[in-house]
C-alpha cells in the first residue's frame, strides 16, 4: 500500500465550555483535518490542534507540502517518520513543523492499522481495557462559586476533574481548590494546572498554599523548559508534579526523567511529533517507573494508553466532537478504545463544511 495524496483542511470550531486561563479566554478552537489517501482505497485520518485560524491555514499548507514529498512511498509508519524527520533536520522538528509531521504520522498509523484490519491498540500489542478518564473541559479562571458549580456538573460520569489556577492572589487559588473538592464526590481525584503562569518564587509560595489540600497533581506551574526549576520544585513539594505536554521529542522526555524534574509525565501526541515519538517516550516512562498520562487527543490517546503498561490518566476534552462522526465516549469514568480498524476517526462532513476557514 502506497501513499497517493495528502490533503488538509483548516476548521474553526466553537467550544462547548470556553476555557479561561492565565493566557486569556478561548471560545473557539482551530484544527487541521488530515486525510492520507492510498492506492488501496484506504484513507488514514487524523487531526491536529492549530490554536488560531491564521496558524491553522498555514499548518494545513505545511501538511500538504510535506505530504506531497511522500507520494508513492509505502505506508510504513516508522520508516516514514524517520524520513520526515531527516528531511526537516535543518529546519528543526520543534513546534509548527513537528505538528505537521505529527498529523501525517497519525494518519499513516491509521491507514496502516486499517490495512491490517485491526484497531491501533491491537496492532500495538495492547488489550481492550478501560482507561481512567478525567474531565478536562471548562474549570477555567471563573472564581470559587462558579468553579464549584461547574465541577459538580463535570464530575458526573468521569473519574476526576481538573481545575486551572493562577488567580490574582494566592488565597483565591486555595479557595477555588477547596470549593471544587467540596463540590465533587469525596473520593474523586482533583488535578490542577497553572499553564506555566508562575515564576519560580511565585510557584514556591502558591504551591505551599495548596500542597496539603490533597490534589492528585500540580501541572506546569512554571515555564515548561525550566528543567532545573522543576527539579527544585519536586524537591520541596509533597503533591506530585505533572509535566511533559510541551516536550517536543522523546529526547526531551528523557532529559526530564534524568533530571528528576517531574513525578508524572503527560506527552502530547502532536507536540512530541506523532504516535511514533509518543510510543518511544512511553517506553522511557515505563522503564523509569513513571506513570504516564495523555494530553488532549483522546480519540488517538486511548489506543496508545491501552498499549502502554505505564498508563495512568486519559485527559478527556470534547473539543473535536463537533466534526467527528463518532466521538469517543466516556462511561462511568472509563474510556474504552474502539474495535473498528485504525483509530476510529471519521469526519462528519456536513458539520465540517460549516466549520471550514
Amino acid at each position: 500500500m502506497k501513499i497517493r495524496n495528502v490533503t488538509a483542511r483548516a476548521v474553526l470550531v466553537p467550544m462547548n465550555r470556553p476555557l479561561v486561563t492565565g493566557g486569556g479566554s478561548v471560545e473557539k478552537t482551530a484544527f487541521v483535518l488530515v486525510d492520507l489517501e492510498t492506492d488501496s482505497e484506504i484513507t488514514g485520518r487524523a487531526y491536529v490542534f492549530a490554536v488560531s485560524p491564521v496558524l491553522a491555514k498555514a499548518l494545513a499548507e505545511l501538511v500538504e507540502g510535506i505530504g506531497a514529498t511522500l507520494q508513492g512511498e509505502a505506508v510504513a509508519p516508522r520508516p516514514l517518520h524517520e524520513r520526515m524527520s531527516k528531511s526537516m533536520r535543518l529546519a528543526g522538528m520543534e513546534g509548527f513543523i513537528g505538528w505537521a509531521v505529527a498529523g501525517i504520522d497519525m494518519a499513516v498509523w491509521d491507514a496502516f492499522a486499517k490495512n491490517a484490519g485491526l484497531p491501533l491498540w491491537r496492532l500495538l500489542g495492547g488489550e481492550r481495557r478501560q482507561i481512567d478518564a478525567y474531565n478536562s473541559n471548562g474549570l477555567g479562571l471563573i472564581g470559587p462559586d462558579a468553579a464549584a458549580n461547574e465541577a459538580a456538573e463535570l464530575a458526573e460520569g468521569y473519574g476526576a476533574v481538573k481545575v486551572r489556577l493562577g488567580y490574582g492572589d494566592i488565597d483565591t487559588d486555595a479557595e477555588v481548590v477547596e470549593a471544587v473538592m467540596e463540590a465533587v464526590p469525596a473520593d474523586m481525584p482533583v488535578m490542577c494546572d497553572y499553564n506555566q503562569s508562575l515564576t519560580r518564587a511565585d510557584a514556591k509560595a502558591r504551591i505551599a498554599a495548596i500542597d496539603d489540600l490533597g490534589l492528585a497533581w500540580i501541572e506546569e506551574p512554571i515555564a515548561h523548559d525550566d528543567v532545573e526549576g522543576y527539579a527544585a520544585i519536586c524537591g520541596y513539594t509533597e503533591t506530585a508534579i505533572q509535566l511533559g505536554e510541551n516536550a517536543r521529542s522523546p529526547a526531551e522526555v528523557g532529559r526530564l526523567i534524568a533530571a528528576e524534574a517531574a513525578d508524572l509525565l503527560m506527552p502530547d501526541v502532536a507536540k512530541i511529533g506523532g504516535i511514533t515519538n509518543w510510543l518511544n517516550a512511553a517506553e522511557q516512562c515505563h522503564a523509569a517507573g513513571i506513570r504516564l498520562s495523555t494530553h488532549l487527543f483522546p480519540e488517538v490517546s486511548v489506543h496508545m494508553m491501552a498499549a502502554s503498561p505505564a498508563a495512568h490518566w486519559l485527559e478527556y476534552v470534547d473539543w473535536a466532537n463537533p466534526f467527528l462522526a463518532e466521538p469517543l465516549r466516556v462511561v462511568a469514568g472509563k474510556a474504552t478504545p474502539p474495535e473498528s480498524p485504525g483509530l476510529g476517526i471519521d469526519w462528519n462532513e456536513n458539520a465540517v463544511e460549516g466549520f471550514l476557514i
Side-chain angles (χ1 to χ4, degrees), residues 6 21 26 74 79 88 94-95 113 137 148 161 181 202 231 264 281 317-318 335:
V6 178
T21 72
V26 182
M88 296 296 155
E94 296 81 9
N137 294 296
V161 297
M181 286 186 161
D202 288 339
L264 305 166
V317 291
D318 62 6

Side-chain angles (χ1 to χ4, degrees), residues 38-326:
T38 71
D39 61 1
S40 298
E41 306 306 322
I42 289 173
T43 298
R45 294 186 173 89
Y47 70 85
V48 181
F49 288 103
V51 184
S52 75
V54 173
L55 291 179
K57 292 170 69 175
L59 182 57
E61 291 184 5
L62 183 56
V63 168
E64 291 191 346
I66 295 174
T69 70
L70 303 177
Q71 290 177 359
E73 294 291 325
V75 178
R78 293 188 182 277
L80 278 174
H81 192 278
E82 182 66 17
R83 172 173 174 162
M84 287 189 286
S85 298
K86 285 183 177 179
S87 69
M88 296 296 155
R89 187 165 293 162
L90 291 179
M93 278 281 288
E94 296 81 9
F96 213 52
I97 293 175
W99 298 359
V101 169
I104 296 173
D105 179 75
M106 287 187 275
V108 168
W109 276 103
D110 184 41
F112 188 68
K114 284 177 177 174
N115 191 51
L118 298 172
L120 181 64
W121 59 266
R122 191 180 296 279
L123 184 75
L124 296 176
E127 59 179 340
R128 193 169 193 255
R129 57 192 176 93
Q130 295 181 320
I131 308 298
D132 290 326
Y134 72 89
N135 198 338
S136 194
N137 294 296
L139 285 190
L141 302 181
I142 54 179
D145 293 339
N149 292 333
E150 191 166 80
E153 296 176 19
L154 294 174
E156 294 184 13
Y158 290 84
V161 297
K162 185 164 76 176
V163 59
R164 277 74 181 178
L165 298 179
Y167 286 86
D169 60 273
I170 294 174
D171 291 341
T172 305
D173 277 356
E175 290 169 7
V176 167
V177 171
E178 291 171 341
V180 169
M181 286 186 161
E182 289 177 5
V184 303
D187 59 346
M188 176 172 282
V190 174
M191 302 86 165
C192 81
D193 187 354
Y194 274 100
N195 297 106
Q196 307 180 69
S197 62
L198 306 178
T199 65
R200 286 194 190 185
D202 288 339
K204 193 166 188 176
R206 299 244 176 181
I207 290 173
I210 62 174
D211 205 10
D212 62 349
L213 298 182
L215 286 162
W217 72 55
I218 298 172
E219 185 177 330
E220 284 199 329
I222 61 177
H224 74 273
D225 55 355
D226 185 357
V227 179
E228 294 82 4
Y230 275 105
I233 289 173
C234 287
Y236 64 71
T237 305
E238 293 295 327
T239 308
I241 298 299
Q242 177 71 272
L243 190 59
E245 71 179 67
N246 285 295
R248 295 165 294 182
S249 68
E252 286 196 10
V253 170
R255 285 192 284 273
L256 295 175
I257 293 172
E260 298 183 358
D263 302 296
L264 305 166
L265 286 166
M266 55 184 309
D268 178 294
V269 66
K271 289 183 179 180
I272 203 168
I275 292 171
T276 301
N277 275 0
W278 194 98
L279 294 172
N280 293 341
E283 289 296 330
Q284 294 185 69
C285 291
H286 177 51
I290 293 177
R291 301 299 301 277
L292 178 74
S293 295
T294 62
H295 183 253
L296 308 182
F297 301 94
E299 302 81 12
V300 179
S301 298
V302 71
H303 289 271
M304 302 184 299
M305 292 288 272
S308 175
H312 192 197
W313 283 97
L314 176 88
E315 180 176 36
Y316 178 80
V317 291
D318 62 6
W319 304 346
N321 287 8
F323 59 76
L324 294 176
E326 293 186 26

Side-chain angles (χ1 to χ4, degrees), residues 26-38:
V26 182
E27 298 182 357
K28 293 184 178 181
T29 306
F31 299 85
V32 169
L33 314 187
V34 181
D35 289 278
L36 184 140
E37 302 169 7
T38 71

Side-chain angles (χ1 to χ4, degrees), residues 340-352:
S340 55
L343 293 170
I345 289 178
D346 204 354
W347 313 130
N348 178 342
E349 288 292 350
N350 290 333
V352 169

